[in-house]
Amino acid sequence: VHVIRFAGKRKMVLSRDISQLERLENMRRDFVANVSHEMRTPLTVIGGFLETIADGIEDFSREDIVHFIDLASEQSGRMQRLIEDLLALSALETGAPAPVEERVDAVELVTSVHREATLLSGDRHRIALVLEGGGVLLGSRKELYSACANLAINAVRYTPTGGHIEIGWRSGACGGAYWVEDDGIGIDPEHLPRLTERFYRVDRGRSRETGGTGLGLAIVKHILTRHQGTLEVSSAPGEGSRFEMRFPASRLRLD
Ligand code: ADP
C-alpha cells in the first residue's frame, strides 16, 4: 500500500494485489529447490562410488568395481533423463501455440504408441488397442507422440505384472479423444489436482525405481495446452486409472 501526498493536505492511497506475483516467486523458488535436490541425489551417489573406489582400489575385486560402475552409470542415466525432460519443458513453455500445418494421422499415431507400450511391457501386461473412428490431428507430430506415449508408458510403469491396459482413440464432430486406462495401483483422489505439477509424485520411491523424473505429466499438460486440448484424470487406489486427452474439433479433420 502506498500513501501519496498531493495538493497540500490531500492524500492518495494506492493498493495493489501482489498475490499472483508472490505465487510466481514461490513457484520459482520451489522449482530451483526441486531441481537442485533431484540433481544432488544421483550426484551424491556417483561421487560416493568414485571416492570409495579411489580410497581402496586394491581392496575391491573386479566384480565389485563393475557393480559400482553399473550403479553409477544408472544414476548418470537418471540425470540425463532429468535434463532432457527439463529442456523439453522449457522449449514447450515458450507459450506459442503449436503450429497447425502438420497433419498427424490419429490411427497411425495411436497404433505406434500401442506398439511402444507393448515393447516396454515385454509381456507383463495385456495391452488392448481400441479405435473408434479415425481423423487427422493438426499440430506437432513429435509433441503429440510424446504426450500420448507418456500416458501409455506411465500405465505400464504403474501397473503390476498381469494387469490390463487399454489404449484408445475416438473421434466425432465434437473433436477427438485419446485415452489410456489401466487396472494398476491407482491414485488417491487428493493427489489428482496436483498431478501435472512439475516434480509432483504420489510415491517418490516407485517413480524413481521405474526411471521417472516427475516431469512427464507436466510435459503432457504443456503439449495439450499448446494444442488447445485438455486432460481428464479419474482414478481409484487399488483399482486403476484413466487418463484422457481431449482435442477440440478445430484441431481435427475427419475427411
Ligand atoms: P513420474 O516420472 O514420477 O512418473 P509423471 O509426471 O509422469 O512423473 O507422473 C506424476 C505421478 O503421477 C507419478 O509419480 C505417479 O505417482 C502418478 N501416476 C502417473 N500415471 C499413473 C498411473 N497410470 N497409475 C498410477 N499413478 C500414476
Side-chain angles (χ1 to χ4, degrees), residues 4-5 12 26 31 55 66 75 83 85 126 136 140 150 163 186 201 229 232 239 249-250:
I4 301 158
R5 288 173 190 281
M12 181 165 69
N26 282 342
F31 182 67
D55 279 353
V66 169
Q75 296 299 322
I83 289 169
D85 279 0
R126 297 243 156 279
V136 165
S140 150
N150 232 307
R201 292 137 160 161
E232 304 281 327
E239 284 177 29
S250 57

Side-chain angles (χ1 to χ4, degrees), residues 85 150-159 180-182 184-187 191 194-204 206-208 210-220 235 240-243:
D85 279 0
N150 232 307
L151 298 187
I153 291 169
N154 274 354
V156 171
R157 292 170 51 223
Y158 296 107
T159 302
V180 178
E181 198 171 320
D182 64 59
I185 61 173
I187 305 160
H191 298 288
R194 301 194 56 193
L195 231 45
T196 57
E197 283 177 24
R198 297 180 280 196
F199 296 117
Y200 191 82
R201 292 137 160 161
V202 177
D203 176 347
R204 211 160 256 276
R206 179 153 192 142
S207 159
R208 285 236 173 90
T210 55
T213 59
L215 295 173
L217 290 179
I219 291 175
V220 170
S235 187
S241 316
R242 183 185 167 95
F243 288 76

Side-chain angles (χ1 to χ4, degrees), residues 75-90:
Q75 296 299 322
S76 86
R78 211 178 111 195
M79 285 181 68
Q80 213 154 352
R81 273 196 303 280
L82 189 65
I83 289 169
E84 272 161 20
D85 279 0
L86 283 170
L87 286 174
L89 252 188
S90 89

